[in-house]
Every structure is written in C-alpha cells, then in structure tokens.
Amino acid sequence: GPYYVVSKDIKKNIIYVGKEGELYDTKCVVEKMSWINEAPKFPARVDVKIRYRTKSIKAVLSKDGTLEFLKPAPAITSGQSAVFYRDQRLLCGGVIK
C-alpha cells in the first residue's frame, strides 16, 4: 500500500515514512502564538484546526505551547498553522514546531 512521510530530521537530512496509521499523534508543540485578545487561563480546553478547511479537533493547550489532542489527530505537520477557537470564537494562531 501507500507510504506517507511521518516525520523529518532536517539536520540529518532524513525523511521517515510509514503506513497511514502512523500519521496519527496525540501531542505537538505550537510556537509563535499570536493572541487576538487576552490569553485564557492554562491549561485551556480549545478547538484547534491544523489544516485548512478541516473540522476542529478538541485539545488542551498548555502555557508552554504543548498541545494535547483528546483523540489522535492525523498528519500533524511541522511548519503548518494551528488556529485555536473556543465556542467558534477565534482565540489565537501559531506555528506547529
């Protein structure tokens, strides 16, 4: 069957591939966060979009940028945007590390 890029080691110039099931993860780190208003109390339960035009995923965001998904999320990709919402209200945007 098909293989997918599941991770990269830029410093060593290595790409790791795997099956579709290996695309899922429960955690990532988000940096360069820009808050629209005041940041919430942490840890904060949020809805997050990690891909354009996808459904929001329920997650918990820590003050240090650690994002833990309540269910495994597919294709969490370094360099992609993560956009945070609460009750369909935009809270923040950042970059997945």
Side-chain angles (χ1 to χ4, degrees):
Y3 286 89
Y4 302 88
V5 174
V6 294
S7 68
K8 301 179 223 175
D9 185 333
I10 302 299
K11 290 181 181 177
K12 294 181 181 178
N13 199 29
I14 298 173
I15 295 175
Y16 297 94
V17 296
K19 298 285 187 174
E20 183 178 8
E22 295 176 68
L23 289 174
Y24 289 79
D25 208 341
T26 57
K27 187 188 294 188
C28 69
V29 175
V30 179
E31 57 187 8
K32 300 179 183 175
M33 290 190 278
S34 295
W35 293 94
I36 302 302
N37 291 307
E38 189 174 312
K41 290 184 180 182
F42 293 100
R45 292 185 70 106
V46 295
D47 294 319
V48 60
K49 289 189 177 194
I50 58 172
R51 292 251 186 262
Y52 179 66
R53 289 190 170 181
T54 60
K55 291 184 179 184
S56 296
I57 303 167
K58 302 250 182 240
V60 176
L61 179 63
S62 298
K63 191 173 188 174
D64 66 357
T66 301
L67 183 63
E68 294 187 48
F69 301 99
L70 300 185
K71 294 181 181 178
I76 303 167
T77 307
S78 179
Q80 291 278 40
S81 294
V83 182
F84 301 94
Y85 299 86
R86 183 176 284 154
D87 300 324
Q88 298 184 356
R89 185 174 55 115
L90 177 62
L91 298 175
C92 171
V95 178
I96 298 171
K97 184 174 181 183

